[in-house]
Amino acid sequence: MTDSPAVADLRSRLDAALGGAARAWLDQATAEAAAHPSADADAEDARAAVRQAAPPTWEMRFAEAGRRCGTEHADAVRLLLLHAARADRTTLARLYDQGTAAERRAVLHALPLLVPGPDALPLVEDALRTNDTRLLAAALGPYAAAHLPPHAWRHALLKCLFTGVPVDTVAGLERRARADTELARMLVDYADERTAAGRPVPADLHRVLALTAPPAPPPGPRRETAPAAAVSPSTPTGEEQES
């Protein structure tokens, strides 16, 4: 994995927002993460040894990010630490399984940067089983947009509707919903159920339903209308000539 412009921009924004003590802590924490053996793709033996030992220092920094940098910056700080450590799928799964909801959210945000294929989908699927709306929104980020199978993605979108997660947070919504007739059927069924129960239909449902409409067919070739034939003056009849 190479450095991402998005990560560099995130670090710049954090440097501007954090106070001096928090910036110094972040400098040290990212340096510890980058120095960890898991950052070296060729250090398999070192990684195996670390897995048998106590959690590395940077993982402790990962857990305390909210206390050190403020809860409003914790997601971004944790993402930077995961990126600096080049956390592999095993590390991500451990941090997710052992983490708080906030730490799990950071792992989900980091997946597009750290896992190129669908191997981390079990973490997304676990998050989609919760009713934590912030975790649901994080689970439906770019990684899910790229890798979550259609059936699971449709059901996740419905869960957003009935838990109140704004569909604006769903990455790739327009692309994945476009002309999806099965999703349209599910949305109509859900709207009918809500109406029959006397409950309001979420406004976002109509927005998503509009996205599922098949694209309009391209206009056909324009047919040229033949010009009308010129009409010559009628020849007067014999009676007309006599009059």
Side-chain angles (χ1 to χ4, degrees), residues 105-120:
R105 194 167 61 242
V107 170
L108 294 169
H109 285 314
L111 293 182
L113 293 171
L114 298 170
V115 185
D119 292 346

Side-chain angles (χ1 to χ4, degrees), residues 226-239:
V231 180
S232 58
S234 58
T235 304
T237 61
E239 293 179 357

Side-chain angles (χ1 to χ4, degrees), residues 6-242:
V7 172
D9 178 66
L10 184 61
R11 179 59 199 258
S12 295
R13 287 187 281 115
L14 277 173
D15 284 342
L18 296 176
R23 284 198 305 272
W25 179 90
L26 181 56
D27 287 340
Q28 180 180 351
T30 52
E32 290 169 347
H36 189 260
S38 65
D40 182 356
D42 297 323
E44 186 60 37
D45 292 341
R47 287 201 300 272
V50 167
R51 284 194 289 268
Q52 297 174 6
T57 303
W58 78 265
E59 292 188 21
M60 293 187 285
R61 305 286 183 250
F62 179 85
E64 65 183 17
R67 180 164 56 87
R68 295 288 190 167
C69 298
T71 54
E72 69 274 25
H73 302 304
D75 281 5
V77 169
R78 289 184 174 118
L79 190 150
L80 287 179
L81 293 178
L82 292 170
H83 181 268
R86 290 168 171 78
D88 58 18
R89 187 167 58 89
T90 301
T91 301
L92 292 169
R94 183 179 68 254
L95 291 173
Y96 180 91
D97 291 340
Q98 298 175 357
T100 64
E103 292 163 21
R104 291 183 170 197
R105 194 167 61 242
V107 170
L108 294 169
H109 285 314
L111 293 182
L113 293 171
L114 298 170
V115 185
D119 292 346
L121 275 178
L123 304 184
V124 173
E125 291 163 351
D126 180 84
L128 292 175
R129 288 191 286 269
T130 74
N131 289 318
D132 182 326
T133 55
R134 295 184 69 186
L135 207 56
L136 287 173
L140 286 172
Y143 188 81
H147 301 295
L148 197 63
H151 180 74
W153 187 85
R154 294 182 189 116
H155 281 276
L157 190 58
L158 280 178
K159 188 163 188 176
C160 287
L161 293 174
F162 66 71
T163 58
V165 175
V167 297
D168 283 337
T169 65
V170 178
L173 174 65
E174 293 188 13
R175 175 181 62 82
R176 295 210 56 166
R178 186 179 300 119
D180 189 335
T181 55
E182 176 61 15
L183 176 60
R185 181 195 65 76
M186 294 169 67
L187 292 170
V188 170
D189 287 349
Y190 178 59
D192 289 346
E193 291 173 6
R194 299 279 297 184
T195 302
R199 298 176 179 174
V201 176
D204 272 351
L205 184 146
H206 300 291
R207 177 183 168 191
V208 178
L209 188 59
L211 294 174
T212 65
R222 185 175 179 180
R223 299 179 61 182
E224 297 290 340
T225 304
V231 180
S232 58
S234 58
T235 304
T237 61
E239 293 179 357
E240 291 173 338
Q241 289 177 344
E242 292 178 357

